[in-house]
Amino acid sequence: MIETPSLVDQYCHGVLRKELGLGTFEAHLGRTAGAGAAAAPGTTFFDTQTGFAVRRWCPPLLGLEPHCPPARYLARRRELGVLESGRRLLRASGISTYLVDTGLPGDLTGPAEIASAGAADAHEIVRLELLAQQVADTSGTVEGFLANLAEAVHGAAATAVAFTSVAGVSRGLAYAPQPPGPGEVRGAAGRWLAGRAVGGRLTDPVLLRHLLWIAVASGRPLQLHVGTEDPAGLAGFAASTSGLGTDLVLLHGYPYHRQTAQLTGLFPHVYADLGSVLGRTGARAAAVLAELLELAPFGKLLFSSGAHALPELHVVAASVFRGALSRVLGEWVGDGAWSLTDAQRVATMIAAGNARRIYRLA
C-alpha cells in the first residue's frame, strides 16, 4: 500500500464564507469541470466526474452515506453551517499546507482563514495582473507606474511564496519570449494607462511580458496558467529563463498534460501541476497520472487541488490523488518494475516534497 500521509496543496484559492443553494453549488462544480456558468436545460453538473467524486468522498465526512443525493447532501451542509462543514471537510483532506492565490474576486477566505479552518499552514501566491492593476490605480504618470510596479513586485516577493499569471501565456508570451525593450514598455504603459478605467484589467501583451520578467528577476517561483493553450509554445520562454534562478510551474495543463510533462524533462527549472488533471478526470485520474509519469521526471510533478470556493474540491483532489497514485505505483510494484521503497519515496516527493523544495517551505 502506497501512503501519502501529508499533502502540500501547491495551488488553490479560498473557500466561500456564505451558505450555498443547490444551483450555486452546482455552478462551482461546472467551473471546475471546465464547463460554462450554467448546465444545459434538463442536466446538472453533478453528472460529471467532479460531481460524482464529490458525492463519493464528501458525504461521509458530514455523517452521510457515500453517493447520497445532492439535495440531501446540501441540506446536511446547511444544517451544520458553512463554518463547521468547511472545517470538517478541510481537516479530513489530509492537506497540511495550502498555497493560496488571493487574486480572485468574491467573498473568499484568505490564507490565514483557510489555515485555521484546516488546522494547517498557508502561504500567499500573488497574482501579477491584479498587483499591476492596483499599482496603476495609484500611479499618476507612466514613469511613476513603471517604478512603482517594480517596487511592488519586489515588496511582494518578501512575503509571498510565489507569483502567478493568468494572462501571460494567452497574451503572446509563447510568441515573444524575450523581455520587451524600455521604449516598447513605456509606449505600452502610456497607451494602457490612458485608455483604462480605475480597476481596469491588464491585457496589454507588452506590459504582461514586462511584468513576468520583473517577477523572474525576483527569484520567486512563477506559476503560469496554461489553460487550453498548448504549453509547447512556452519552450522559448523556458529557454530564455533557464539558469536565472526562477522556477516555472505550469498550471492546469490538461488536456495537454503530455506536452506539459515533456517540457519538464527538457528544462531543469520547469515543473508541472496536477490540479486540473485531478479535478476534471475523477475516476479516470489514474490513467492520466500514468501518462504524466511516463514523460516527466518524478521530481517535477506537484500535487495541487486547484480548488476554488468549495472545500469539497480540496477533499476530492486529495482523495482522487491518493487513489490514483496508489493504484498506478502499486501496480508497478506488484509487477516487480519498482521496489516498494522507491514507490513510497516518489509518492512522498509528488505529494509534498517537491513543493517544499521549490517554494522553500519548512
Side-chain angles (χ1 to χ4, degrees):
M1 178 67 178
I2 309 300
E3 297 183 0
T4 51
S6 176
L7 301 175
V8 172
D9 189 346
Q10 74 99 35
Y11 182 80
C12 66
H13 303 278
V15 299
L16 286 166
R17 299 185 179 97
K18 62 184 180 182
E19 300 285 357
L20 299 177
L22 184 61
T24 306
F25 187 95
E26 179 191 331
H28 286 294
L29 296 181
R31 185 181 187 277
T32 300
T43 70
T44 169
F45 282 131
F46 273 101
D47 286 336
T48 60
Q49 289 284 5
T50 304
F52 272 40
V54 166
R55 291 176 55 213
R56 162 62 181 92
W57 296 106
C58 297
L61 303 180
L62 303 188
L64 300 171
E65 71 279 8
H67 307 295
C68 74
R72 185 179 179 195
Y73 177 76
L74 267 293
R76 174 59 174 164
R77 203 178 188 270
R78 289 191 296 272
E79 178 185 331
L80 291 170
V82 65
L83 294 179
E84 176 62 16
S85 59
R87 187 188 68 83
R88 293 190 185 192
L89 291 163
L90 291 173
R91 294 189 179 193
S93 70
I95 296 171
S96 63
T97 304
Y98 298 90
L99 306 190
V100 186
D101 175 358
T102 56
L104 284 183
D107 188 23
L108 299 173
T109 56
E113 290 172 280
I114 200 169
S116 177
D121 295 326
H123 305 273
E124 184 180 16
I125 300 167
V126 170
R127 186 171 292 208
L128 288 168
E129 290 87 352
L130 179 61
L131 184 64
Q133 289 155 203
Q134 293 168 342
V135 170
D137 287 340
T138 57
S139 300
T141 65
V142 169
E143 291 73 16
F145 166 69
L146 294 176
N148 293 341
L149 183 61
E151 183 178 346
V153 173
H154 177 75
T159 56
V161 294
F163 292 106
T164 190
S165 169
V166 295
V169 176
S170 61
R171 291 283 172 173
L173 179 62
Y175 308 105
Q178 299 292 338
E184 191 179 4
V185 171
R186 284 193 297 272
R191 291 189 298 272
W192 182 59
L193 292 174
R196 73 185 291 272
V198 172
R201 296 176 60 190
L202 174 58
T203 58
D204 184 273
V206 172
L207 286 182
L208 284 167
R209 284 166 51 213
H210 175 65
L211 183 59
L212 290 173
W213 279 98
I214 297 176
V216 167
S218 77
R220 288 293 185 187
L222 175 59
Q223 301 175 337
L224 297 173
H225 290 242
V226 177
T228 58
E229 301 286 328
D230 185 343
L234 289 174
F237 184 67
S240 297
T241 53
S242 182
L244 298 183
T246 294
D247 292 320
L248 306 180
V249 182
L250 306 184
L251 303 177
H252 311 326
Y254 186 79
Y256 291 102
H257 53 287
R258 294 183 68 87
Q259 292 89 330
T260 303
Q262 284 182 310
L263 282 179
T264 68
L266 292 174
F267 299 98
H269 64 307
V270 175
Y271 296 80
D273 166 71
L274 301 179
S276 183
V277 172
L278 302 172
R280 297 187 187 184
T281 55
R284 286 282 297 163
V288 179
L289 180 61
E291 292 183 340
L292 282 162
L293 290 168
E294 290 175 11
L295 295 166
F298 309 134
K300 294 298 198 73
L301 298 175
L302 304 166
F303 165 78
S304 83
S305 68
H308 165 251
L310 304 179
E312 284 83 357
L313 300 179
H314 293 280
V315 173
V316 164
S319 301
V320 170
F321 169 73
R322 286 193 178 95
L325 197 64
S326 181
R327 186 182 307 175
V328 172
L329 300 189
E331 179 180 329
W332 295 346
V333 170
D335 289 343
W338 286 35
S339 71
L340 179 59
T341 299
D342 280 339
Q344 185 62 64
R345 181 171 58 86
V346 169
T348 302
M349 288 165 56
I350 299 173
N354 293 337
R356 293 195 179 280
R357 183 182 76 254
I358 295 165
Y359 297 106
R360 304 167 200 167
L361 304 176

